[in-house]
Amino acid sequence: MQGGVLSHASRQVFATMRASRIFLGATVVVSVVFLTVTYLEGWFRVSSAVTRAPARTRFLFSAGLDRRTADRAQGTQAGTSAGSAGRRVQEDNAEKIQRDRKTALERVCNVSLPELVPPLSTRQLGHLIVDDEHKMLYCFVPKVACTNWKRVMIKLRHPDIDKPQDISPRDAHETYFLPTLKRYSPEAIQYRLDNYFKFMFVRDPLERLLSAYINKFTMPYNLKFHRLYGTKIISRFRENPSNDSVQRGDDVMFKEFVQYLLDPQAHGPQLNEHWDHYFNLCHPCRIHYDVIGKYETLDQDVNYVLQRAGVANIVQFPPKPKKAQTSTSQLLDEYLDEIGPKEVLRLHNMYILDYLMFNYSLPNFPGER
Ligand SMILES: *[C@@H]1O[C@H](CO)[C@@H](O)[C@H](O)[C@H]1NC(C)=O
Ligand SMILES: *[C@@H]1O[C@H](CO)[C@@H](O)[C@H](O)[C@H]1NC(C)=O
Ligand SMILES: *[C@@H]1O[C@H](CO)[C@@H](O)[C@H](O)[C@H]1NC(C)=O
């Protein structure tokens, strides 16, 4: 990789940041690029390097405050304007939002980090759900409205199903109901990538982590996760754990889950799909998604996807339960208090490519609100 390409691209990635942020931003990206050679160690070292610099840390704190608030305001505004304006205006607006999202993504992809460009793996192909009749590809990301999208994809294949919400979550995740790109030949895969309507959904990376934590570690029914991950996390990160906790793995604290995520030796090279990076799951630098939806603007983005895919008249997205809408983002601040500012920053740095690709702002740091 030549230095010229890198510095040019890094400048573009951070062009939208204020002048004072450019140095810090470029430093982080340059460090990321440099350190990806030793992938696992890389994340760890970028995190600790930034964490050790107190001045920069304070700077990130204050940047985080206003930017995250700005995001929320933008989301709310977008939501309310959808009600009052006509459909035409709405669609023009949606197109502009999509253009902006794709530009932000392309800027990061243009940096050409090694992670961003390898060929699609079997795992990634397995995340792309295919609908040949409607010529659609949906890359599912767990904890980002994925159960409902799978229900919609099942309903599209089985018109006899009355409503997508009638499909149980368990059935929605049954792999045999929904074919993925994995089962196609290389030519057939390429054809579909070139010609089908492709979409994916993302959300604030830390909100997704918290949602994964709550679902997998605090719900009594997720025994598989308790056994596979909980027992390991507790015995590694808890001082004097009780025998019960070590054996059952069913009372992992958020703080311990974060320690696990921040320790490459604990989780190994491949993260579970519920907390793996968006770019690993959906390969957005290689696959040019027609629509990048966000959980923060779910209603609008769902409608836009269904319209663009030409299926708005045959399927409706399941209505969201009223209270689920904001609870995770409110809870997040409380949970972040539990883990402390340095860990929040390291977590942010671990997911920095997801933050940059999908233009999410820094988290609210404990003690700085
Ligand atoms: C990123 O999001 C901010 C709002 O949080 C917005 O002002 C900015 O234009 C976005 N950047 C890109 C490249 O879309
Ligand atoms: C990304 O790189 C391509 C090819 O060099 C260029 O055409 C495009 O404008 C770049 N995109 C952004 C957003 O910088
Ligand atoms: C936990 O298990 C160990 C070994 O099986 C035993 O020695 C110890 O007494 C147990 N502790 C408690 C609190 O039950």
Side-chain angles (χ1 to χ4, degrees):
M1 183 177 326
Q2 309 100 347
V5 174
L6 174 65
S7 55
H8 175 64
S10 325
R11 248 183 281 123
Q12 286 184 325
V13 171
F14 292 94
T16 53
M17 296 192 174
R18 271 191 242 118
S20 60
R21 290 186 191 151
I22 288 174
F23 172 67
L24 167 75
T27 312
V28 175
V29 166
V30 169
S31 319
V32 169
V33 174
F34 177 68
L35 292 168
T36 39
V37 183
T38 48
Y39 179 79
L40 287 177
E41 255 191 285
W43 295 116
F44 182 71
R45 279 159 61 193
V46 172
S47 316
S48 41
V50 179
T51 314
R52 273 197 307 273
R56 278 191 258 162
T57 310
R58 274 200 302 281
F59 169 72
L60 277 174
F61 287 164
S62 52
L65 278 178
D66 48 299
R67 290 204 55 210
R68 199 163 123 135
T69 317
D71 271 5
R72 297 254 177 282
Q74 200 193 30
T76 321
Q77 199 184 31
T80 48
S81 69
S84 51
R87 168 156 291 183
R88 168 107 267 142
V89 177
Q90 226 178 86
E91 264 173 37
D92 289 350
N93 189 29
E95 272 159 31
K96 184 184 175 311
I97 290 171
Q98 287 303 319
R99 267 200 310 278
D100 290 347
R101 286 181 190 169
K102 282 179 229 172
T103 308
L105 175 62
E106 205 177 278
R107 280 185 182 137
V108 181
C109 292
N110 273 3
V111 178
S112 64
L113 302 183
E115 285 97 331
L116 308 183
V117 289
L120 289 165
S121 65
T122 313
R123 185 176 186 232
Q124 288 154 345
L125 293 172
H127 266 259
L128 284 151
I129 293 172
V130 185
D131 183 328
D132 281 322
E133 192 187 334
H134 303 97
K135 304 200 183 320
M136 293 164 73
L137 288 178
Y138 162 52
C139 181
F140 71 91
V141 174
K143 308 319 297 172
V144 190
C146 115
T147 307
N148 278 342
W149 269 117
K150 285 180 174 176
R151 285 170 163 153
V152 167
M153 300 301 283
I154 292 173
K155 158 78 182 160
L156 285 172
R157 289 177 68 80
H158 301 276
D160 46 309
I161 292 171
D162 189 23
K163 291 191 203 114
Q165 54 266 43
D166 296 342
I167 303 163
S168 75
R170 198 197 170 96
D171 284 343
H173 294 291
E174 278 297 348
T175 45
Y176 56 78
F177 281 131
L178 288 170
T180 65
L181 266 190
K182 207 161 65 169
R183 63 161 77 159
Y184 291 79
S185 69
E187 298 74 32
I189 291 171
Q190 195 54 50
Y191 177 81
R192 281 158 183 75
L193 288 173
D194 292 341
N195 295 290
Y196 282 15
F197 172 80
K198 302 172 286 297
F199 69 102
M200 65 178 286
F201 271 74
V202 294
R203 73 192 284 190
D204 179 281
L206 292 196
E207 279 177 27
R208 169 167 171 259
L209 281 187
L210 178 58
S211 171
Y213 164 76
I214 290 174
N215 182 256
K216 298 303 170 202
F217 294 111
T218 69
M219 301 295 170
Y221 50 81
N222 269 316
L223 293 176
K224 190 182 115 193
F225 276 81
H226 302 164
R227 257 200 321 274
L228 268 178
Y229 298 98
T231 53
K232 211 160 79 178
I233 292 174
I234 289 169
S235 53
R236 190 169 179 122
F237 296 108
R238 188 175 299 177
E239 275 178 55
N240 304 320
S242 74
N243 285 356
D244 253 14
S245 293
V246 173
Q247 264 156 31
R248 294 200 200 139
D250 62 353
D251 63 350
V252 174
M253 295 189 298
F254 186 60
K255 194 181 166 146
E256 294 164 339
F257 176 56
V258 169
Q259 281 176 298
Y260 166 78
L261 291 175
L262 292 174
D263 183 346
Q265 281 175 344
H267 58 65
Q270 185 167 295
L271 294 166
N272 178 278
E273 62 174 1
H274 290 82
W275 45 85
D276 202 351
H277 308 267
Y278 297 137
F279 71 82
N280 264 346
L281 296 176
C282 293
H283 223 346
C285 289
R286 187 164 276 264
I287 299 175
H288 301 290
Y289 290 96
D290 296 283
V291 176
I292 296 163
K294 289 195 171 183
Y295 192 79
E296 289 77 6
T297 48
L298 187 67
D299 296 346
Q300 288 165 271
D301 294 353
V302 159
N303 289 336
Y304 186 63
V305 166
L306 296 178
Q307 263 158 32
R308 285 281 312 269
V311 297
N313 55 343
I314 47 179
V315 68
Q316 277 189 330
F317 199 78
K320 240 178 163 208
K322 283 282 174 285
K323 75 178 189 24
Q325 176 72 46
T326 50
S327 60
T328 314
S329 73
Q330 286 162 351
L331 267 183
L332 182 63
D333 288 343
E334 289 170 31
Y335 277 94
L336 291 187
D337 280 347
E338 192 189 304
I339 68 172
K342 281 191 181 167
E343 257 53 35
V344 174
L345 189 58
R346 289 179 61 202
L347 210 47
H348 166 265
N349 291 337
M350 174 176 175
Y351 290 91
I352 192 159
L353 287 175
D354 286 339
Y355 273 92
L356 293 173
M357 283 180 174
F358 302 107
N359 192 24
Y360 280 105
S361 45
L362 288 158
N364 286 332
F365 287 88
E368 297 280 327
R369 285 193 285 279

